[in-house]
């Protein structure tokens, strides 16, 4: 069993790439702020072309899955991705 850990910066990059593709903009045009709250869990606030939208954990995991496949060549499933909070938010991918 192999474990890959994505840093907070890589999670933000994955969301930027994912949203840029969906909104047909450049990844540099996307701003992302990650957060964790007891009531809502992991979320990402995303700004594209002056508009804000919130992504829930499942949307974040979708972006992470696409990123690890394109950047690392790792094909994983939702059940294999776990978000964790220590000093920063990380993604643990176990395949």
């Amino acid at each position: 069993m192999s474990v890959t850990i994505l840093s907070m910066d890589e999670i933000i990059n994955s969301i930027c790439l994912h949203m840029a593709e969906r909104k047909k903009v450049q990844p540099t045009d996307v701003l992302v702020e990650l957060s964790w709250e007891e009531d809502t869990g992991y979320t990402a606030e995303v700004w594209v072309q002056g508009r804000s939208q919130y992504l829930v954990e499942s949307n974040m995991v979708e972006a992470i899955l696409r990123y690890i496949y394109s950047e690392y060549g790792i094909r994983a499933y939702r059940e294999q991705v776990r978000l964790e909070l220590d000093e920063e938010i990380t993604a643990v991918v176990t395949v």
Side-chain angles (χ1 to χ4, degrees):
M1 203 176 271
S2 161
V3 175
T4 302
I5 298 175
L6 299 183
S7 68
M8 191 165 173
D9 287 339
E10 286 183 293
I11 295 170
I12 290 170
N13 287 344
S14 71
I15 294 169
C16 285
L17 291 169
H18 182 69
M19 293 304 293
E21 185 178 320
R22 294 188 67 183
K23 301 290 184 179
K24 309 261 189 273
V25 297
Q26 293 298 314
T28 54
D29 296 334
V30 180
L31 297 173
V32 177
E33 185 176 306
L34 302 180
S35 64
W36 181 87
E37 294 181 24
E38 195 169 321
D39 296 340
T40 57
Y42 295 99
T43 59
E45 187 172 6
V46 180
W47 292 270
V48 179
Q49 297 175 329
R51 299 188 71 164
S52 167
Q53 107 181 53
Y54 281 91
L55 302 181
V56 295
E57 185 174 345
S58 62
N59 301 121
M60 294 168 62
V61 169
E62 178 183 352
I64 291 166
L65 289 171
R66 295 182 66 183
Y67 180 82
I68 61 168
Y69 181 69
S70 66
E71 298 297 315
Y72 292 90
I74 298 171
R75 187 174 297 276
Y77 298 98
R78 288 185 185 273
E79 308 81 43
Q80 296 170 306
V81 178
R82 183 178 72 251
L83 296 177
E84 293 186 351
L85 178 64
D86 192 13
E87 291 182 18
E88 67 175 22
I89 297 172
T90 57
V92 179
V93 183
T94 307
V95 289

